[in-house]
Amino acid sequence: MSDTHVTDAIVQVCAAQLAPTLNVKSFFDDASSTASYVVHDPATKMAAIIDSVLDFDAAAGRTDTASADAIIEYVRDEGLNIEWLLETHAHADHLSAAPYLQTRLGGTLAIGRDIIRVQEVFGKLFNAGTEFVRDGSDFDRLFDDGDHFLIGSIPAIALHVPGHTPADMAYVIGDAVFTGDTLFMPDYGSARADFPGGDARQLYHSIRRLLKLPPETRLFLCHDYKAAGRDTYVWETTVGAQRSGNVHVHEGVGEEEFVAMRTARDATLSMPALIMPAVQVNMRGGHLPAPEANGTRYLKIPLDAL
């Protein structure tokens, strides 16, 4: 499906939702500045969980499920049925709790098909061996650009928005879009594009595709880092607010200007604190590496590789 056809289909979906019919509950993890979401169709109580967090203490090498357990409590209190566990990409800043949630709540674990490219790159980086099958089979469903699906009776589209990583997806669900790491709040700008497989030009075009949506479309972001002068975390905005006010990519900012800005800015950024544990877990769909002969699981840190 071409970009034009995909965008036209998305606009039709959004236009069909004249009032906000998708219920959205956010869960914000201060440690990783990550917003996770439980979204549901109020008519059917069918729901999806987007970008969940498995708590991880890097210094101690310990995982914890407090963040995921809060989601489970909410889902059960509301009487929701989980259809989907959606990942926008293989996160570099937190571990996914999707497998833990799936064992307790069910649902189909899904991500974009280009996760296979990410698995190839990082499978080599972490020397994962032949036992790590790099075909996307750690996930139940691999979305292609423009794939349609439903949450209850609410139509949704998976939109490929590469640039931050090759596999980034945005999920257009009714009148709302879950953008992953393509965009941040207007006063903070856009995602970095310097990870393996990242591309600032692709990111620019991905953002422009999102900003073709109707201005009233709600955007739910994966992160907020509190821009200078702002004291509170915020992770919901609109297409219109991004068009007029995004400090990196508002209307009038051209491709060359954006690429130059993004490239210079990325050169000043440190690697995310959890990139090593996060990526080698998330490339496996959130599954931890298998235990070794002594019954203990291990994460690797490749030296002088990034």
Side-chain angles (χ1 to χ4, degrees):
M1 185 179 291
S2 72
D3 287 1
T4 300
H5 289 161
V6 171
T7 301
D8 287 348
I10 292 168
V11 171
Q12 290 170 10
V13 169
C14 289
Q17 305 297 323
L18 299 179
T21 57
L22 182 74
N23 281 19
V24 180
K25 172 67 174 178
S26 59
F27 297 80
F28 193 77
D29 175 52
D30 286 4
S32 62
S33 299
T34 300
S36 302
Y37 300 97
V38 178
V39 304
H40 78 269
D41 173 10
T44 64
K45 294 286 191 175
M46 303 306 290
I49 300 170
I50 303 174
D51 289 338
S52 61
V53 172
L54 179 70
D55 303 307
F56 182 67
D57 181 343
R62 298 195 67 85
T63 61
D64 189 83
T65 61
S67 293
D69 289 336
I71 288 176
I72 292 171
E73 181 180 10
Y74 171 79
V75 167
R76 290 176 174 167
D77 286 348
E78 294 295 315
L80 305 180
N81 296 303
I82 299 300
E83 281 188 287
W84 296 97
L85 300 153
L86 302 175
E87 298 288 335
T88 56
H89 62 296
H91 310 276
D93 38 39
H94 70 270
L95 281 62
S96 170
Y100 175 78
L101 292 166
Q102 189 175 43
T103 61
R104 286 151 180 82
L105 299 173
T108 298
L109 174 56
I111 200 169
R113 183 171 299 281
D114 276 13
I115 189 63
I116 296 170
R117 292 178 56 194
V118 174
Q119 290 178 328
E120 286 287 349
V121 170
F122 285 100
K124 292 176 182 177
L125 177 67
F126 293 111
N127 197 29
T130 56
E131 65 273 17
F132 175 46
V133 181
R134 302 157 202 193
D135 61 358
S137 58
D138 290 292
F139 300 84
D140 302 318
R141 171 77 181 270
L142 300 182
F143 284 123
D144 291 308
D145 188 32
D147 276 356
H148 291 247
F149 61 106
L150 291 170
I151 295 177
S153 61
I154 296 178
I157 297 178
L159 178 65
H160 187 211
V161 286
H164 174 60
T165 79
D168 277 62
M169 302 297 288
Y171 297 107
V172 182
I173 307 171
D175 68 315
V177 183
F178 299 84
T179 66
D181 281 13
T182 53
L183 282 165
F184 298 141
M185 289 300 292
D187 59 358
Y188 201 89
S190 60
R192 66 193 297 166
D194 61 332
F195 294 154
D199 186 292
R201 292 186 186 279
Q202 283 189 331
L203 180 62
Y204 178 83
H205 289 286
S206 293
I207 291 171
R208 287 292 174 226
R209 291 182 75 191
L210 293 176
L211 297 189
K212 290 179 181 177
L213 296 169
E216 66 274 16
T217 305
R218 297 184 291 165
L219 300 183
F220 292 91
L221 316 179
C222 190
H223 297 287
D224 185 54
Y225 302 105
K226 290 197 293 192
R230 176 158 53 83
D231 294 329
T232 58
Y233 289 112
V234 188
W235 48 86
E236 179 181 353
T237 182
T238 66
V239 166
Q242 294 283 13
R243 286 182 193 171
S244 63
N246 187 288
V247 294
H248 291 169
V249 69
H250 57 79
E251 287 183 344
V253 174
E255 179 178 346
E256 297 304 323
E257 180 183 354
F258 176 82
V259 170
M261 177 282 301
R262 191 67 266 169
T263 302
R265 182 175 173 84
D266 288 350
T268 71
L269 301 177
S270 301
M271 285 289 110
L274 294 184
I275 187 171
M276 294 299 183
V279 173
Q280 62 188 298
V281 169
N282 295 336
M283 71 182 186
R284 294 178 166 92
H287 299 281
L288 300 174
E292 297 193 7
N294 63 355
T296 300
R297 303 175 190 271
Y298 291 88
L299 295 170
K300 296 179 179 179
I301 300 178
L303 300 180
D304 303 318
L306 286 180

